[in-house]
């Protein structure tokens, strides 16, 4: 969190270093797997596509896990304002990253199943570590370190991008004003970054990775489907509006339908986690209306909120973005 709070430039540089460590880890796993495959270890691929054990009620949850692994692409849209030449660089970054990650993940999975059986993969708490213990023996700690750095990179990137959502929501008067402010010297959205921290700690204490993944995936893909559908409607309602880049309508149409279908079927697959997630999502509706109408509330409440905001400004040394910009 302290990287995200201190400097945007340093956060980007650290993120580049951590991304390189992830690519090194993936490359090492792929090389070891291809070496084992070249030696004739292909017995684990016999009947690899046997679907007799596949049940329909688990397919939506499998999609949640699969799409989570490839979901980094939409984080780019969270900090569009901070991207140089966004009209060119955002589509280029998304397309190139999806192609590269798809190829790398495919080769990594081939490497995993060359060395490990399907049961061993499912039983492993960290597949890369189990793979390294089987192939690198006493040097398996190398993969452990690289995997740890990769996880740190994912957390850093998530903090960097998710904080921008609270920052913009506050700027649009949908959150308390304090979260739309930036640090007077570092120019980072410090209050929005700090807000993420207790949420991360809460997720760590939950402990159940797959339950947490299902809990998080329901609102994510629900709103992804709604937003994409809204963009389609917006394009038909205002066809002459300038748009930096376009895609064929069939792509967002299929994407929106897939998101909403998976969300709907996940309520049957895991009613507990998705039900809790749905309830938490709906609990935001009254909060939203309270924030929208906060300027129409009692005078004492508005005065207390203003005083609290001023005290937090002094404590965190933050001001409105316009003051720092101009």
């Amino acid at each position: 969190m302290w990287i995200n709070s201190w400097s945007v430039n340093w956060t980007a540089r650290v993120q580049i270093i951590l991304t390189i460590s992830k690519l090194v880890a993936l490359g090492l796993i792929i090389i070891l797997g291809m070496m084992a495959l070249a030696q004739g270890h292909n017995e684990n691929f016999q009947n690899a596509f046997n679907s007799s054990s596949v049940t329909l009620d688990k397919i939506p949850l499998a999609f949640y896990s699969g799409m989570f692994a490839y979901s980094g692409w939409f984080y780019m849209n969270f900090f569009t304002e901070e991207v140089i030449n966004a009209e060119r660089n955002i589509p280029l970054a998304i397309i190139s990253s999806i192609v590269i990650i798809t190829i790398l993940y495919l080769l990594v999975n081939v490497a995993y199943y060359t060395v490990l059986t399907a049961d061993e993969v499912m039983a492993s708490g960290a597949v890369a570590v189990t793979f390294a213990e089987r192939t690198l023996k006493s040097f398996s700690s190398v993969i452990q370190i690289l995997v740890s750095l990769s996880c740190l990179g994912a957390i850093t990137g998530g903090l960097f991008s998710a904080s921008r959502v609270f920052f913009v929501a506050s700027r649009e008067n949908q959150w308390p004003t304090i979260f739309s402010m930036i640090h007077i010297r570092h120019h980072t959205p410090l209050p929005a970054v700090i807000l993420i921290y207790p949420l991360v700690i809460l997720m760590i204490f939950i402990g159940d990775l797959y339950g947490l993944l299902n809990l998080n995936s329901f609102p994510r893909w629900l709103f992804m489907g709604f937003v994409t559908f809204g963009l389609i409607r917006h394009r038909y309602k205002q066809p002459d509006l300038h748009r930096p880049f376009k895609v064929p309508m069939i792509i967002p149409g299929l994407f929106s339908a897939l998101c909403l279908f998976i969300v709907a079927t996940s309520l049957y697959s895991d009613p507990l986690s998705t039900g809790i997630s749905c309830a938490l999502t709906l609990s935001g509706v009254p909060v939203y209306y309270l924030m929208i109408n906060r300027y129409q509330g009692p005078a004492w409440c508005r005065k207390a909120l203003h005083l609290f905001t001023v005290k937090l400004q002094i404590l965190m040394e933050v001001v409105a973005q316009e003051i720092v910009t101009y």
Side-chain angles (χ1 to χ4, degrees), residues 199-266:
L199 301 178
V200 172
I201 297 299
L202 177 62
M203 292 180 184
I204 292 174
F205 278 107
I206 290 177
D208 181 9
L209 176 61
Y210 290 103
L212 184 60
L213 182 62
N214 296 339
L215 188 73
N216 177 64
S217 295
F218 176 85
R220 168 182 288 187
W221 295 106
L222 174 66
F223 287 108
M224 288 284 284
F226 281 152
V227 167
T228 308
F229 180 78
L231 290 175
I232 297 173
R233 183 177 181 275
H234 190 264
R235 189 160 162 183
Y236 277 112
K237 288 289 186 179
Q238 298 182 349
D240 299 326
L241 192 67
H242 170 69
R243 293 174 171 85
F245 48 86
K246 294 182 180 181
V247 295
M249 291 294 290
I250 187 65
I251 296 177
L254 289 174
F255 180 78
S256 180
L258 179 63
C259 288
L260 297 178
F261 173 76
I262 293 173
V263 165
T265 52
S266 68

Side-chain angles (χ1 to χ4, degrees), residues 123-319:
S124 174
V127 182
V129 175
T130 305
F131 175 90
E133 292 173 348
R134 188 72 58 85
T135 55
L136 290 176
K137 307 298 182 182
S138 59
F139 295 98
S140 61
S141 58
V142 174
I143 291 292
Q144 296 177 21
I145 294 172
L146 291 174
V147 168
S148 299
L149 292 174
S150 175
C151 293
L152 179 60
I155 294 173
T156 304
L159 287 172
F160 181 84
S161 55
S163 62
R164 271 59 182 176
V165 176
F166 297 111
F167 175 73
V168 174
S170 176
R171 198 170 62 189
E172 297 294 327
N173 295 323
Q174 298 173 11
W175 268 83
T177 308
I178 186 66
F179 297 112
S180 65
M181 298 184 181
I182 62 178
H183 197 273
I184 57 176
R185 292 187 303 275
H186 305 311
H187 297 180
T188 58
L190 182 61
V193 173
I194 293 177
L195 178 63
I196 300 292
Y197 184 69
L199 301 178
V200 172
I201 297 299
L202 177 62
M203 292 180 184
I204 292 174
F205 278 107
I206 290 177
D208 181 9
L209 176 61
Y210 290 103
L212 184 60
L213 182 62
N214 296 339
L215 188 73
N216 177 64
S217 295
F218 176 85
R220 168 182 288 187
W221 295 106
L222 174 66
F223 287 108
M224 288 284 284
F226 281 152
V227 167
T228 308
F229 180 78
L231 290 175
I232 297 173
R233 183 177 181 275
H234 190 264
R235 189 160 162 183
Y236 277 112
K237 288 289 186 179
Q238 298 182 349
D240 299 326
L241 192 67
H242 170 69
R243 293 174 171 85
F245 48 86
K246 294 182 180 181
V247 295
M249 291 294 290
I250 187 65
I251 296 177
L254 289 174
F255 180 78
S256 180
L258 179 63
C259 288
L260 297 178
F261 173 76
I262 293 173
V263 165
T265 52
S266 68
L267 287 170
Y268 170 76
S269 302
D270 187 2
L272 178 61
S273 294
T274 53
I276 294 174
S277 181
C278 182
L280 289 174
T281 303
L282 292 176
S283 70
V285 175
V287 176
Y288 171 81
Y289 281 105
L290 284 174
M291 294 310 304
I292 291 296
N293 297 321
R294 67 180 184 271
Y295 297 110
Q296 302 174 8
W300 66 266
C301 183
R302 286 184 276 120
K303 183 178 179 180
L305 182 60
H306 174 73
L307 181 62
F308 184 65
T309 300
V310 172
K311 295 297 184 183
L312 287 178
Q313 279 188 261
I314 297 172
L315 177 64
M316 293 186 285
E317 297 183 319
V318 294
V319 293

